[in-house]
Amino acid sequence: MSSSIFLEPVRPDQRSIFVEVKNTSEHADFDLGAEVAANLAGKGYRIVDDPADARYLLQANVLQAGRSSDTAAEKTFGGGFGSAVFGGAIGAAAGRAATSDVGAIIAGGLVGAAASVVADSFIQDVTYTVTADVQVSERANEGVIVTETLEQPLFQGGGEGRLIRSSETHDWKRYQTRIMSVANKANLEFEEAAPTMVEGLTRSIAGIF
């Protein structure tokens, strides 16, 4: 978690929450919504369908899921909520390089002498990451009004652009963080890593409450 979120304690009858989890990553079937809602329900929170009935809004977007290098993972996580995502192309390229090296050794006919080299080439240190941006909105106490200003740059061709600014008042206090779950193992496949990463990410998101 890139930054901690601290919420005001409330009575059990006020623990209502609206949950919305989206996925814009390359693994579109990576669904955390049901797992997060189930975890929160197990903590005594009432899941509601109407945000107007909720004390809390939990919104999350899975923006990256797949193979990554340590450097790419550090950059993606270090930027925090809303920052750029660095993909796993580095890790995939390393895997292809190792495979091509094996092919070159076999083509050279050095089967006996290179047996151990060939075996080592098939052992890769693989890292997968799942990254989610999380926004939590907490309804302010009665009488508290929150003013929120949004600035959105719009860029056009030729380097020209516009800055759109809008303001609104409401009763939501908002908090944002980025959460990353990492799996690392020799010759790890995504299908093997996914359940563990889902469990870790779900536990971290629900752990805010």
Side-chain angles (χ1 to χ4, degrees), residues 70 73 127-130 180-184 188 193 196-197:
D70 291 342
T127 298
Y128 290 103
T129 58
V130 177
M180 176 181 287
S181 184
V182 182
N184 176 266
L188 182 64
T196 302
M197 291 191 294

Side-chain angles (χ1 to χ4, degrees), residues 2 63-64 68-87 90 129 131 133 178 180:
S2 62
L63 49 112
Q64 178 274 330
S68 180
S69 68
D70 291 342
T71 301
E74 290 174 2
K75 289 182 178 180
T76 297
F77 179 74
F81 182 96
S83 63
V85 175
F86 297 84
I90 297 175
T129 58
T131 309
D133 277 349
R178 172 167 289 182
M180 176 181 287

Side-chain angles (χ1 to χ4, degrees), residues 49-127:
D49 296 327
D50 188 348
D53 298 331
R55 171 78 183 195
Y56 301 102
L57 307 179
L58 171 58
Q59 297 169 282
N61 177 36
V62 179
L63 49 112
Q64 178 274 330
R67 189 164 177 172
S68 180
S69 68
D70 291 342
T71 301
E74 290 174 2
K75 289 182 178 180
T76 297
F77 179 74
F81 182 96
S83 63
V85 175
F86 297 84
I90 297 175
R96 288 194 295 270
T99 304
S100 63
D101 289 344
V102 173
I105 292 172
I106 295 176
L110 304 178
V111 179
S116 60
V117 177
V118 172
D120 291 341
S121 298
F122 283 107
I123 301 176
Q124 301 178 32
D125 183 33
V126 180
T127 298

Side-chain angles (χ1 to χ4, degrees), residues 3-185:
S3 59
S4 297
I5 295 176
F6 297 95
L7 303 174
E8 296 291 337
V10 296
R11 300 193 309 268
D13 61 316
Q14 294 184 346
R15 293 175 185 169
S16 57
I17 184 169
F18 174 83
V19 178
E20 181 182 61
V21 180
K22 297 183 178 181
N23 183 353
T24 57
S25 74
E26 56 268 44
H27 288 274
D29 57 343
F30 215 76
D31 186 10
L32 294 177
E35 288 82 358
V36 171
N39 193 308
L40 290 168
K43 292 185 172 187
Y45 283 84
R46 179 168 54 92
I47 311 299
V48 298
D49 296 327
D50 188 348
D53 298 331
R55 171 78 183 195
Y56 301 102
L57 307 179
L58 171 58
Q59 297 169 282
N61 177 36
V62 179
L63 49 112
Q64 178 274 330
R67 189 164 177 172
S68 180
S69 68
D70 291 342
T71 301
E74 290 174 2
K75 289 182 178 180
T76 297
F77 179 74
F81 182 96
S83 63
V85 175
F86 297 84
I90 297 175
R96 288 194 295 270
T99 304
S100 63
D101 289 344
V102 173
I105 292 172
I106 295 176
L110 304 178
V111 179
S116 60
V117 177
V118 172
D120 291 341
S121 298
F122 283 107
I123 301 176
Q124 301 178 32
D125 183 33
V126 180
T127 298
Y128 290 103
T129 58
V130 177
T131 309
D133 277 349
V134 180
Q135 176 172 282
V136 175
S137 301
E138 177 184 19
R139 194 178 296 277
N141 293 326
E142 186 175 353
V144 177
I145 300 298
V146 179
T147 300
E148 184 174 293
T149 301
L150 173 66
E151 292 187 352
Q152 177 66 48
L154 298 178
F155 297 101
Q156 302 180 18
E160 298 179 354
R162 295 181 178 180
L163 180 63
I164 305 299
R165 183 181 291 110
S166 61
S167 297
E168 64 175 339
T169 57
H170 50 74
D171 59 349
W172 294 105
K173 296 184 293 183
R174 304 196 192 278
Y175 311 90
Q176 297 175 333
T177 189
R178 172 167 289 182
I179 300 178
M180 176 181 287
S181 184
V182 182
N184 176 266
K185 182 182 176 182

